[in-house]
């Protein structure tokens, strides 16, 4: 069975989906500035088969994120799996408001690119190349499904009310996601706090359990859809981005149909008060 990282960067997109934080919150999210860089190992059944990286800049109410992923070792040599993505947007009244989203992935057998423009959490335009195949069991997407949403890469950022960066404030929310092809909710709930020590960060992380709720665009009769909708073994760990009111994932664990997949940070470096733009001056 070929590992499924392409054609939709499923490892990174799934991570983003599970960690989205774009619901409205009461109170002000402190504006700040920071540059963040993170490196992740991707493993399945305890065996590492991929690497991913994330870099981002937060300045005031604006953000920009870039991600890349690549399969490694024998798996990478066999499939050629790789991908990259980017997202930009703003933080308005405690809510992430994406502006642009693009993601491309490729393997030895196929490739796909998704581009999306958004305004006030509503999709303005979507381009998918090649188009998603039409299937009889694919649930139709309506215009209502394109409103009050965010893209999965922007979802790496987690606004936390009043600057609280641990505990239940980081979880306990329902997240509306549209990735260009499908609309789904992710329901997060607080599961605890623990201490971690990483290259670049040492301190508390918030642990969230997650549930996937398909709404539209998915294949209703696919066994994988039913499996994920009933999956109770999904979790993520969130760490604070110093100097901002945001959090970012350092670990995601997901039970799949062929074993447990883990995306875990080996490096998590934050430069508070420094962004790529300011560092060039």
């Amino acid at each position: 069975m070929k590992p499924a990282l392409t054609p939709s960067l499923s490892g990174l997109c799934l991570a983003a989906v599970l960690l989205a934080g774009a619901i409205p919150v009461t109170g002000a999210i402190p504006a700040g500035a920071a540059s963040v860089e993170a490196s992740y190992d991707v493993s399945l059944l305890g065996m590492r088969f991929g690497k991913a990286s994330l870099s981002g800049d937060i300045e005031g109410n604006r953000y920009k994120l870039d991600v890349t992923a690549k399969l490694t070792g024998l798996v990478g040599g066999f499939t050629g799996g790789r991908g990259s993505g980017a997202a930009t947007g703003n933080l308005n009244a405690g809510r992430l408001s994406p502006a642009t989203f693009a993601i491309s992935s490729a393997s030895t057998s196929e490739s796909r690119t998704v581009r999306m423009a958004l305004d006030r959490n509503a999709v303005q335009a979507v381009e998918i190349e090649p188009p998603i195949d039409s299937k009889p069991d694919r649930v139709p997407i309506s215009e209502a499904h394109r409103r009050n949403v965010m893209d999965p890469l922007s979802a790496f950022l987690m606004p936390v009310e009043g600057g609280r960066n641990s505990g239940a404030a980081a979880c306990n929310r329902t997240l509306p996601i549209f990735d260009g092809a499908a609309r789904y909710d992710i329901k997060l709930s607080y599961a605890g706090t623990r201490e971690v020590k990483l290259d670049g960060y040492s301190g508390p992380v918030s642990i969230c359990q997650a549930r996937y709720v398909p709404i539209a665009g998915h294949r209703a009769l696919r066994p994988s859809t039913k499996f994920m909708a009933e999956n109770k073994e999904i979790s993520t760990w969130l760490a604070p981005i110093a100097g901002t009111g945001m959090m970012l994932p350092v670990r995601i664990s997901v039970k799949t149909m062929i074993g447990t997949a883990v995306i875990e940070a080996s490096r998590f470096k934050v430069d508070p008060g420094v962004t790529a733009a300011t560092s060039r001056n």
Side-chain angles (χ1 to χ4, degrees):
M1 178 179 295
K2 182 174 71 174
L5 185 66
T6 58
S8 60
L9 264 186
S10 61
L12 283 177
C13 279
L14 179 58
V17 166
L18 299 180
L19 299 166
I23 61 169
V25 293
T26 58
I29 302 296
S35 176
V36 59
E37 295 182 2
S39 301
Y40 299 86
D41 294 323
V42 183
S43 64
L44 180 68
L45 294 171
M47 296 180 291
R48 191 172 72 179
F49 72 93
K51 297 185 74 66
S53 64
L54 178 149
S55 62
D57 293 309
I58 302 169
E59 186 171 8
N61 291 329
R62 296 178 297 173
Y63 69 87
K64 182 180 186 298
L65 295 173
D66 293 283
V67 296
T68 62
K70 183 178 181 180
L71 297 182
T72 58
L74 291 176
V75 173
F78 178 69
T79 67
R82 64 191 183 279
S84 61
T88 66
N90 299 280
L91 181 67
N92 296 321
R95 184 181 189 184
L96 286 179
S97 182
T100 64
F101 164 74
I103 195 164
S104 298
S105 57
S107 69
T108 54
S109 61
E110 57 189 343
S111 63
R112 175 161 284 124
T113 297
V114 179
R115 297 184 181 89
M116 187 162 60
L118 305 96
D119 181 40
R120 289 174 290 186
N121 294 94
V123 177
Q124 302 300 304
V126 177
E127 179 183 291
I128 303 177
E129 185 61 37
I132 301 294
D133 294 338
S134 177
K135 299 292 183 181
D137 67 333
R138 193 178 300 282
V139 178
I141 296 174
S142 70
E143 283 303 311
H145 294 138
R146 298 169 181 252
R147 296 192 292 268
N148 299 313
V149 297
M150 71 176 303
D151 69 86
L153 291 188
S154 293
F156 268 103
L157 292 175
M158 176 78 72
V160 180
E161 178 185 352
R164 290 178 292 173
N165 57 21
S166 62
C171 304
N172 295 346
R173 56 183 81 195
T174 297
L175 320 168
I177 308 297
F178 185 74
D179 65 9
R183 169 73 175 87
Y184 36 83
D185 281 348
I186 298 296
K187 295 187 176 182
L188 296 178
S189 59
Y190 177 62
T193 303
R194 66 176 296 168
E195 295 286 321
V196 300
K197 188 172 184 179
L198 304 169
D199 180 9
Y201 176 74
S202 180
V205 295
S206 294
I207 302 173
C208 309
Q209 296 293 328
R211 295 297 301 272
Y212 164 73
V213 182
I215 295 176
H218 59 285
R219 298 277 303 278
L221 300 181
R222 260 193 170 178
S224 58
T225 300
K226 184 175 186 293
F227 177 87
M228 288 303 296
E230 297 177 352
N231 194 349
K232 296 182 180 180
E233 297 185 39
I234 309 173
S235 65
T236 182
W237 299 1
L238 306 176
I241 303 175
T244 74
M246 303 282 194
M247 302 186 77
L248 200 69
V250 293
R251 189 180 192 273
I252 307 101
S253 177
V254 183
K255 182 180 179 181
T256 75
M257 297 179 72
I258 57 174
T260 299
V262 177
I263 303 173
E264 188 161 19
S266 57
R267 181 172 182 265
F268 184 81
K269 181 182 179 183
V270 177
D271 289 326
V274 177
T275 66
T278 57
S279 64
R280 287 193 296 265
N281 294 332

